[in-house]
Amino acid sequence: MAATTAEAQPKPARDYDAEIHAAQVAAKSAAGLEHLGTLNRTCFLPPVNGAPDTTDVAPAYIDDPSKAPAKATWYADSAQVFDDLYFVGGSIHSAWLLKTSAGLILIDSGYQYSASTLILDGMKKFGFSPTDIKYIIISHAHSDHIGGVQVVQEATNGAPVVMGTKDWQTVKQFPNRYKGQTPDFKTGIKVPDNKDYDLKLGGTTVHIVPTPGHTPGTLSMIFTVHDFGTAHTVSYSGGTAFGFQNDKPNPGLKNYDTYINSARKMQAESTNAKADVLLSNHSEFDNAVTKTRELASRGFGPNPFVNGADSVKAYYDVTSNCALAARIGLEKSAAGQ
């Protein structure tokens, strides 16, 4: 039987470059002027290839504090951002204190060498004591976020640390890498990578959303804050840059799929919660340091940290579309083009 006209037509070649361009255009459109740092990092700067690191060596500054970066390179002033949320991070890496009726929840801890100055000293500005911290949430086990956890946990007399299960496993696997940066395993709360977790303190709930991708155990969060008494909902992105292996299709394609699925999951949950504040653990992604400075002249005007629900949704459109563009690039490579 002769082939039909439709059957005889050759399948058109896939235009990978057009697909990449379309994904990047979608990301740029979503970014607007609000999320340019996120756009540049995830779409246009060369991605960091997070190939598996099997080395187990302590950072030089752990045993020799003189090798830590100069304070001028990481210091930022602490600031009250909402009635019940305080910035105690640095110029690049953020940390946050959420005030509840029963104490404080610390979100991320910066580097080991900066934690005492930024967090423990910074919180004194607001009349807080380290022992007011009742939980420490670590978004993921990279030294710029977990590094200060041991310093802070010891100062709090053992506040439990909340972290993704797979990142707990990484810490346990590499004891030298996490020397001086290791939370207490016995009291630790381990969040599985496939189930949301609600951390409750007083009348406050932090809804923790596992978002594997940046690391296998990355955690993102949704919680409520108040601005002159008005409630706002925060969407906290726990890992934005591509920290996974992405230099070849295997396992790069799977890793990008994990990242994209997590971004879309967090977007859906943030939209459902009507989140109107986007926070991150890097100021390049949420402009936190710039916004804390803007607060000084705010008066009773709009809070610069209130992005709006459309902007929060757009953030995850940026990250997912930039990841999609990079993923298509790997597909192009696999096809030999």
Side-chain angles (χ1 to χ4, degrees):
M1 180 182 293
T4 64
T5 302
E7 291 174 335
Q9 293 295 324
K11 186 177 180 180
R14 185 174 173 185
D15 191 340
Y16 293 100
D17 290 337
E19 291 182 32
I20 292 170
H21 180 69
Q24 290 176 335
V25 167
K28 288 176 68 175
S29 177
L33 297 177
E34 179 76 20
H35 304 304
L36 289 177
T38 303
L39 177 72
N40 288 335
R41 169 62 80 90
T42 56
C43 253
F44 299 113
L45 291 177
V48 175
N49 176 32
D53 181 5
T54 59
T55 60
D56 189 24
V57 179
Y61 55 76
I62 294 295
D63 293 318
D64 184 357
S66 69
K67 294 184 178 179
K71 180 179 177 180
T73 66
W74 50 260
Y75 181 79
D77 290 328
S78 56
Q80 183 171 4
V81 173
F82 289 97
D83 301 350
D84 39 15
L85 187 70
Y86 303 80
F87 175 80
V88 287
S91 58
I92 299 173
H93 310 97
S94 300
W96 305 86
L97 282 171
L98 178 62
K99 182 182 178 181
T100 80
S101 60
L104 304 172
I105 297 172
L106 174 67
I107 301 175
D108 283 319
S109 66
Y111 278 106
Q112 183 268 354
Y113 55 76
S114 65
S116 181
T117 298
L118 294 177
I119 299 173
L120 301 183
D121 291 344
M123 65 192 302
K124 294 177 184 177
K125 175 179 177 180
F126 312 107
F128 297 136
S129 166
T131 55
D132 293 332
I133 297 175
K134 305 305 179 185
Y135 289 100
I136 304 168
I137 304 174
I138 299 299
S139 62
H140 62 273
H142 284 160
S143 58
D144 48 348
H145 306 295
I146 193 177
V149 71
Q150 187 171 328
V151 172
V152 176
Q153 191 175 36
E154 290 173 355
T156 65
N157 295 328
V161 172
V162 183
M163 192 162 61
T165 296
K166 289 186 176 179
D167 280 16
W168 276 102
Q169 293 169 352
T170 300
V171 173
K172 192 171 185 178
Q173 184 179 1
F174 300 103
N176 292 318
R177 184 190 304 175
Y178 292 97
K179 181 180 179 182
Q181 310 166 83
T182 303
D184 185 344
F185 279 84
K186 293 181 181 179
T187 61
I189 297 173
K190 301 165 181 64
V191 180
D193 63 0
N194 58 357
K195 187 177 181 181
D196 291 6
Y197 179 87
D198 284 343
L199 178 70
K200 298 182 179 182
L201 182 64
T204 299
T205 298
V206 177
H207 183 64
I208 299 176
V209 183
T211 50
H214 185 69
T215 67
T218 295
L219 302 178
S220 296
M221 291 149 246
I222 297 172
F223 53 90
T224 300
V225 295
H226 299 82
D227 189 45
F228 294 122
T230 299
H232 294 277
T233 301
V234 172
S235 175
Y236 186 93
S237 175
T240 299
F242 305 149
F244 46 82
Q245 185 168 5
N246 51 54
D247 60 337
K248 53 186 178 181
N250 184 18
L253 293 175
K254 181 180 178 181
N255 289 340
Y256 275 118
D257 286 340
T258 298
Y259 180 98
I260 292 168
N261 290 339
S262 289
R264 290 173 176 168
K265 175 185 178 183
M266 190 59 186
Q267 182 185 59
E269 294 211 25
S270 299
T271 299
N272 185 59
K274 297 181 173 57
D276 58 353
V277 177
L278 189 286
L279 293 181
S280 172
N281 42 29
H282 282 264
S283 193
E284 70 178 296
F285 301 135
D286 62 3
N287 300 309
V289 173
T290 298
K291 290 178 179 180
T292 60
R293 293 167 180 162
E294 292 173 355
L295 285 170
S297 59
R298 172 199 177 190
F300 290 94
N303 189 320
F305 280 88
V306 179
N307 309 66
D310 288 343
S311 180
V312 173
K313 180 179 182 296
Y315 179 87
Y316 296 104
D317 282 332
V318 174
T319 59
S320 59
N321 276 296
C322 287
L324 177 60
R327 188 195 190 285
I328 295 168
L330 282 185
E331 290 185 277
K332 177 182 177 181
S333 175
Q337 297 187 30

